[in-house]
Amino acid sequence: MLPPAARLTRSQDFGLVVRRGRRAGRPRLVVHALTPDVPTLDSSKVGFVVSKAVGNSVVRHRVSRRLRHVVRAQLESMPPGTLVVVRALAPAAEASSSELAADFSSALRKVLR
């Protein structure tokens, strides 16, 4: 589980990150990230989008849990104040946690360059 301070919850924040942030796509997911213009001490926040295209509710929740676990492990390596939205694609339903972790790491490196 992500700590409450690390969760992106407001739809306005999701929209801001998707519209104004950088994007990197991978076969199983898309990562949108928005870094602050001014250095800040705020914690990084992450939100997830897992649509019905991924599968039924059981599959979507399984994908969400795996993504939360993957992101929690890399939360400390993100610059402070970074806002991230992870959007799962349909192939994420059959992906293992290690495959999701590899895709997330690769996409995060690209958007934070």
Side-chain angles (χ1 to χ4, degrees), residues 42-62:
D42 295 338
S43 64
S44 297
K45 295 187 179 206
V46 182
F48 302 94
V49 178
V50 184
S51 73
K52 287 185 178 181
V54 175
N56 64 21
S57 69
V58 174
V59 173
R60 292 194 311 269
H61 284 94
R62 182 182 310 129

Side-chain angles (χ1 to χ4, degrees), residues 7-8 11 14 17 21 31 44-45 47 49 55 63 68 77 81 84 87 94 108 111:
R7 297 180 197 157
L8 199 61
S11 67
F14 276 84
V17 174
V31 175
S44 297
K45 295 187 179 206
V49 178
V63 169
R68 276 197 307 267
S77 66
V84 177
R87 185 165 42 98
E94 289 86 33
L108 187 65
V111 295

Side-chain angles (χ1 to χ4, degrees), residues 27-104:
R28 296 168 200 88
L29 51 89
V30 177
V31 175
H32 300 268
L34 183 63
T35 54
D37 296 333
V38 180
T40 181
L41 296 177
D42 295 338
S43 64
S44 297
K45 295 187 179 206
V46 182
F48 302 94
V49 178
V50 184
S51 73
K52 287 185 178 181
V54 175
N56 64 21
S57 69
V58 174
V59 173
R60 292 194 311 269
H61 284 94
R62 182 182 310 129
V63 169
S64 295
R65 284 192 304 272
R66 286 181 178 165
L67 286 173
R68 276 197 307 267
H69 179 74
V70 164
V71 170
R72 185 182 60 210
Q74 298 188 18
L75 197 57
E76 296 299 321
S77 66
M78 292 182 205
T82 303
L83 302 177
V84 177
V85 172
V86 181
R87 185 165 42 98
L89 301 176
E94 289 86 33
S96 67
S97 293
S98 60
E99 291 170 332
L100 291 173
D103 281 354
F104 179 73

